[in-house]
Every structure is written in C-alpha cells, then in structure tokens.
Amino acid sequence: MIELEGVPELIDPVMVAAFEGWNDAGDAASTAVAHLEREWKGEVFAALDAEDYYDFQVNRPTVFMEGGVRKITWPTTRLSVVRVGGDKPRDLVLVRGIEPSMRWRSFCNELLGFAHELGVELVVILGALLGDTPHTRPVPVSGVTSDADLARRMNLEETKYEGPTGIVGVLQEACTHAGVPAVSLWAAVPHYVSQPPNPKATLALLNRLEDLLDLRIPQGELPEDARAWQTGVDQLAAEDSEVAEYVQTLEEARDTAELPEASGEAIAREFERYLRRRDVGGPGGHATADGSDSGPFRRDTPSGRTRPPKPPKPEAPGASEGDEADNPED
C-alpha cells in the first residue's frame, strides 16, 4: 500500500525519472535528475523497498559514519518533489535510482502507483547510450514515445526500436499500457570517452527537457563543466594521432549526415531557443544505438593501449540512416 503523507497537492505534475546502469552512459541521465533535485532543493518523500528489487551482490550497500555511528545506505530508488516557480508554476516528481536487478514489472507498477496517486500528467524518462558521435559536436538527443498521438502533438519520434531493452524501455511501455503519456529522451555519448561524468551530455538532456516542458532550468556550473570536459578530451585526443584521426572521421560523418537539417527553419528554431534561455533568468556496459553492450575501447595492441574501432564510412547527404542517436531504444 502506498502512503504519501506530507506530500502537498501538486500543480500539473510531471514525473522525471533516470536510472543508473545500462541506460545511463557517462552517468548523464542520473546526473541530470540529481541536478534538478539540487537546484530546486527537492525533498525525498518516498523510497522503494530495496529488498524487493536489488541484488546486493551486484549493487552493494555502503557504510558511512554519522556522528560517530556507523550507518548503511541501501541501493534503491527514491522519489522527491520540487516546485518550479514562474508565471505558470508546476511540480516535478523526480525519480532517481539504480536499474533494478529483479521484478521489473512490479517495480514499474509501484512507480505507476505513485504517479496515479500524485496525479502525474506526463512521465519523462531520461537515458543515455553509447554511440558513434564525436565529442566536438553538439550532443544528439532524441525524443521518442510509443504513443502516435503524443508523437504528433509534441513533435517526437514514434519509436520503432526492436532489440534488448533496459528499465527505461520497460517503464515506458508500462506507462503506455496504463494509459499514462510517456516520453523518453536519449542522449548519445561518445563510446570512446564513456567514463563518467559527462556534463556535456547532461546539459544536452536538460536543454531538451526544458524545451519539452516549456520551463526554465537553472544550469548552475554545468556549462563551465561541459567546456572543461571537452577541452580535456581535446587534449587527450591530440596526444594520440590515431584517436585524433578517428574523431575527425566521426566529425565528417556527422556533418555530412546533418547537411539536410541546416535549413532556415532549423536555424531560426535554434536561435529562438538561444534567445529564450538568454533572456529568462554500472557493470555490464551501457546501451548502444543497436541495443548491444559496449565498452569504451578495444584493447588489441601489443602494448595494451586503447584503440577505437574503425568507424563506418560517412554517408552521403539524404541517406536513409541518420546519426547514431536516430534509433535509440524505447
């Protein structure tokens, strides 16, 4: 039975969820929800029972000291609520945790129980996958849904993905079957630099969420962190001619694929977005574009140095396949 004592009546609530693990390359998605919780001072009001959903040999509890007393933090999923002010105030129900080890259907049903009790009108699930995308270009973020009507109304893609899925895909389908509108936002993280954190991907997810929900998200230090991250990766790539050549190949492929998108309408849309923001004050790898698991590099040289896989040849303008984030899992 779900108890929600102490939670005020919410205004136009939207649930925003992210889960560490296979769906969270570079920790980009879970860090985005943590950023919202921190910037808007979210208050945790519920936590799922860790015993029901987690294998503690896979996700181990941690011990810490508080006032000279040893305490244990158990891996779980917690819910908090934040109120976004402005002309049209609304509430966000933030869900942040770890991809469960077992009983996924019960896990999703419990989250949907909270959503029902709180009157949630939309569920947005954040994810990040590994892809053949260069770190020097804007992070591709795809918005997908299983609801054809929602796809038309919110200018999203109707997912056609088939293959292995994670808790993000399972939760989205559970929402669809329960009649709860649900959207997944996926950021593509360069597979050759997949180690967390990735503030550039986190910032891209938050910008896309901002557009989707038509609200202003405080960015804090994320823009500066993203610039520092890219500078650091630039320096590392410059030290290895093979990696630098590989990145250049990815850049050419990306730029060629995006040539048809450089229309006057697309440029105007990006400029309006810029003005609006300016004027208003785990183990097992990660998801990839084809649903497989992937690590950051192959180690196939005698010295054990990291070597990126050979990239595909750049596609001609107007090709049927887009960049690596065009077909994220649902």
Side-chain angles (χ1 to χ4, degrees), residues 36-84:
L36 297 175
E37 196 171 36
R38 182 173 60 253
E39 290 293 324
W40 281 320
K41 299 178 175 56
E43 297 183 5
V44 175
F45 65 86
L48 276 61
D49 190 339
E51 294 262 349
D52 290 341
Y53 305 114
Y54 295 99
D55 180 345
F56 298 139
Q57 290 183 324
V58 176
N59 297 292
R60 292 186 177 272
T62 57
V63 178
F64 67 99
M65 299 294 293
E66 184 177 283
V69 179
R70 289 170 60 86
K71 294 187 176 182
I72 294 179
T73 298
W74 297 93
T76 188
T77 294
R78 295 179 172 84
L79 290 82
S80 60
V81 63
V82 299
R83 175 150 296 176
V84 183

Side-chain angles (χ1 to χ4, degrees), residues 190-208:
H191 67 85
Y192 58 88
V193 57
S194 61
Q195 300 87 345
N198 190 318
K200 187 174 181 178
T202 295
L203 184 60
L205 279 171
L206 291 173
N207 287 341
R208 187 69 174 86

Side-chain angles (χ1 to χ4, degrees), residues 79-97:
L79 290 82
S80 60
V81 63
V82 299
R83 175 150 296 176
V84 183
D87 296 335
K88 297 180 179 179
R90 76 181 316 168
D91 293 306
L92 299 182
V93 179
L94 305 179
V95 180
R96 182 161 63 101

